[in-house]
Amino acid sequence: MADSPETDDDTLGSVHEREALRRIFPRLPESSVTVIGPGDDAAVLAAPDGRYVVTTDMMVHGPDFRWGWSAPYDLGWKAAATNLSDIAAMGAVPTALVVAIAAPATTRVTELEAIADGLREACAELAPGCGVVGGDLSVSATFTIAVTAFGDLEGRAPVLRSGARPGDVVAVSGPLGAAGVGLRLLFEAGVDAQGRPSPERAAELRRDHAEVVLAQLRPHPPISDGPLAARAGATAMLDLSDGLALDARRVAEASGVAIDIDSSALGADPLAALASGEDHSLLAVFAPGTELPGGFRHIGSVVEGTGVLVDGRPYDELGGWDPYVGWDGRSG
């Protein structure tokens, strides 16, 4: 089968796993910490710090993405970006990814190649030196991509959610609310009788509302600002994957404090900034008087109490992203 001419119509069912992997692996990014890469039963990575930060995340067709909106390249980019952001939120430098894909047998190999291109270019732009060191390919009726990411703390202590103290400064690096606005526009574009989104309308939205739609489909989290925050002495940090208010509450609960957010620092649409998920920006807390590093900007403060406040008043309308609730607000 490997000697057969390649065509754009080749599917996983027609070429089988070995040939698909032969075509995909050369497109994947290499890791700067690889000792032994793909080809054996497992990769071997260098661990200069003696410790590794590890995270994993899945994207499942339906609850997490939809082909009518996302191109394969988008999916590869977002799968990398969301995991890189979690590593950065610990103050670590991303070093390696392991990628597993379960796809219908009718999936074209060129679609997997485009996913590999998205993975490669996301790593090159967001986390140079990070690469794919292995993974798995299987068959499933529902397309699923799972990524495990590794990071190097470079001798620093990890930045946890539990270190915020009253008087500390709350800051954000990256956009707030853009991905949620983009998702709402995509969903409002409508679906057909089978519940499938319209790729034609999605293409129009990508053209006419590129900034917010691409913030949803192809996020650009500020990966380098995670280690910068750690070097600046950040006392707490996390990735804003589920929404500012919801994620700020997680820091508040872990630290035994309240987070008071200044609505005037949230831009023209504070509600979208508070309630929208999937921005994958970084929320960090710093000691008073710290010069904020990188792209971080002041949005609030840590105070005595519990939960989230907005302009000093309790804020309970947390909103945010929940994979167990459909994009139309219904469970499932």
Side-chain angles (χ1 to χ4, degrees):
M1 186 66 68
D3 295 329
S4 301
E6 296 179 6
T7 75
D8 290 346
D9 293 327
D10 289 339
T11 67
L12 290 176
S14 67
V15 304
H16 306 300
E17 181 183 27
R18 183 177 178 180
E19 171 64 7
L21 291 175
R22 184 193 69 78
R23 290 171 55 174
I24 294 167
F25 271 129
R27 310 179 87 94
L28 294 172
E30 296 183 0
S31 168
S32 62
V33 300
T34 299
V35 177
I36 298 175
D40 284 85
D41 288 331
V44 178
L45 307 178
D49 180 79
R51 302 169 295 175
Y52 256 112
V53 175
V54 182
T55 187
T56 191
D57 190 43
M58 288 197 308
M59 295 181 64
V60 181
H61 182 255
D64 296 310
F65 76 96
R66 297 188 179 182
W67 284 128
W69 299 338
S70 296
Y73 179 94
D74 298 330
L75 181 61
W77 180 288
K78 188 170 183 178
T82 55
N83 281 274
L84 296 173
S85 185
D86 281 333
I87 295 294
M90 300 294 291
V93 175
T95 55
L97 306 177
V98 176
V99 181
I101 294 176
T106 54
T107 303
R108 287 187 173 89
V109 178
T110 54
E111 294 175 325
L112 297 187
E113 290 176 328
I115 290 172
D117 290 343
L119 287 163
R120 183 187 67 251
E121 295 188 22
C123 287
E125 181 169 336
L126 302 175
C130 182
V132 176
V133 298
D136 192 25
L137 182 62
S138 188
V139 65
S140 170
T142 302
F143 195 104
T144 301
I145 181 169
V147 176
T148 299
F150 300 85
D152 180 8
L153 288 165
E154 300 183 320
R156 297 181 296 272
V159 184
L160 310 180
R161 301 177 181 184
S162 53
R165 296 294 178 264
D168 284 352
V169 171
V170 179
V172 164
S173 178
L176 292 174
V181 172
L183 179 59
R184 186 174 69 246
L185 287 173
L186 287 166
F187 199 82
E188 289 175 352
V191 295
D192 63 19
Q194 285 73 46
R196 296 172 301 196
S198 164
E200 293 80 12
R201 180 63 179 134
E204 292 177 6
L205 291 173
R206 289 172 74 114
R207 182 188 67 238
D208 298 337
H209 302 277
E211 181 177 357
V212 294
V213 171
L214 290 179
Q216 166 60 220
L217 302 179
R218 201 184 299 174
H220 282 67
I223 305 302
S224 62
D225 278 356
L228 285 179
R231 296 184 192 113
T235 57
M237 186 159 53
L238 89 171
D239 159 58
L240 290 176
S241 57
D242 296 333
L244 174 60
L246 185 59
D247 287 326
R249 184 176 68 174
R250 290 172 173 146
V251 172
E253 291 176 344
S255 300
V257 297
I259 302 292
D260 190 0
I261 298 171
D262 179 2
S263 64
S264 68
L266 302 183
D269 191 347
L271 181 59
L274 286 163
S276 297
E278 300 218 289
D279 282 312
H280 298 288
S281 298
L282 295 175
L283 174 71
V285 178
F286 299 90
T290 301
E291 182 177 351
L292 297 182
F296 280 99
R297 59 193 186 276
H298 180 274
I299 65 160
S301 57
V302 181
V303 298
E304 299 278 359
T306 59
V308 174
L309 313 175
V310 175
D311 300 330
R313 295 184 294 274
Y315 187 81
D316 298 322
E317 301 297 325
L318 297 177
W321 168 252
D322 186 339
Y324 293 97
V325 177
W327 283 336
D328 54 1
R330 297 175 298 192
S331 297

